[in-house]
Amino acid sequence: MNQKAQSETNATAAVYVPRKSEYVLRVRRTAAGLGLCTDSPIARGKFIIEYYGIVLTREQADEKGGKYLFEINSKRVIDGSPRYNLARYLNHSCRPNCETDIVKGKIYIYAKRNIKPGEELTYDYGKEYVNDFIKPYGCKCAKCLG
C-alpha cells in the first residue's frame, strides 16, 4: 500500500468511544464471581454505563458463542467479552437494580431504583440466557441465595 492510500485508510478509520459513566464503578468479588459495584449513590433512572464491544452478525455470534453476547436486534449482536467493557461485569439478578435500553444499536444501562454506594449492579439477563447458562448451575443472585 502506498503512503497516500495508507494515510487515507488511517484518516477514515473510526474508533468507537462509549458513553462515559459519571459514577465511580469497581469490579469486585461477589457471590456470582466478579461483579460491578458502585462507590457512588445512583438515583433511579440515571444512566450508569454502556455495554459495548465488537459488533457481530447473528451468524458470527452463533459461530463464536460465549456468555458475553448481547443481542441488539435480529441481525446484530455485541460481543462484550473484552475486559475493557466494564459493563460485562454486571451480573444477573432475579430482582435487579438496573435495566437495559437499546437505542440505535447501543446498549445503555440505567438505575431501576436508587442504588447505594457499595451495592452490586445487576440486571435481568432474560429467560433464554438464564435457562441456558444459569439454571443448570443454580442462580447466585441475592434473591435466590437469600
Side-chain angles (χ1 to χ4, degrees):
M1 187 181 294
N2 65 35
Q3 255 186 337
K4 184 178 180 191
Q6 181 66 43
S7 67
E8 286 175 5
T9 301
N10 291 340
T12 59
V15 174
Y16 179 70
V17 178
R19 185 170 166 190
K20 187 167 172 30
S21 179
E22 64 182 78
Y23 303 103
V24 178
L25 306 174
R26 299 191 194 285
V27 177
R28 295 199 174 118
R29 182 114 354 242
T30 67
L34 294 177
L36 191 63
C37 300
T38 179
D39 285 347
S40 312
I42 303 173
R44 178 181 181 211
K46 291 292 188 176
F47 165 79
I48 300 172
I49 194 168
E50 181 179 344
Y51 190 98
Y52 71 105
I54 301 160
V55 179
L56 304 173
T57 64
R58 160 89 41 216
E59 294 76 25
Q60 290 170 322
D62 289 345
E63 187 177 305
K64 181 180 192 300
K67 295 182 179 183
Y68 298 101
L69 300 175
F70 199 121
E71 183 178 304
I72 52 177
N73 60 39
S74 62
K75 296 180 180 181
R76 300 278 184 239
V77 174
I78 291 182
D79 175 6
S81 61
R83 293 185 190 276
Y84 57 71
N85 171 30
L86 276 185
R88 76 180 240 148
Y89 294 102
L90 272 92
N91 285 317
H92 165 78
S93 177
C94 296
R95 191 177 296 139
N97 55 14
C98 298
E99 58 192 349
T100 61
D101 190 19
I102 301 170
V103 179
K104 296 181 180 178
K106 297 191 177 12
I107 304 164
Y108 300 117
I109 298 167
Y110 292 89
K112 191 172 178 177
R113 62 168 174 76
N114 291 333
I115 302 172
K116 298 175 187 169
E119 274 192 74
E120 180 180 6
L121 303 174
T122 59
Y123 68 96
D124 185 343
Y125 285 6
K127 189 175 185 174
E128 185 179 336
Y129 188 97
V130 170
N131 287 340
D132 291 348
F133 293 104
I134 296 176
K135 247 186 188 168
Y137 306 100
C139 185
K140 292 181 174 52
C141 79
K143 178 185 180 277
C144 292
L145 289 177

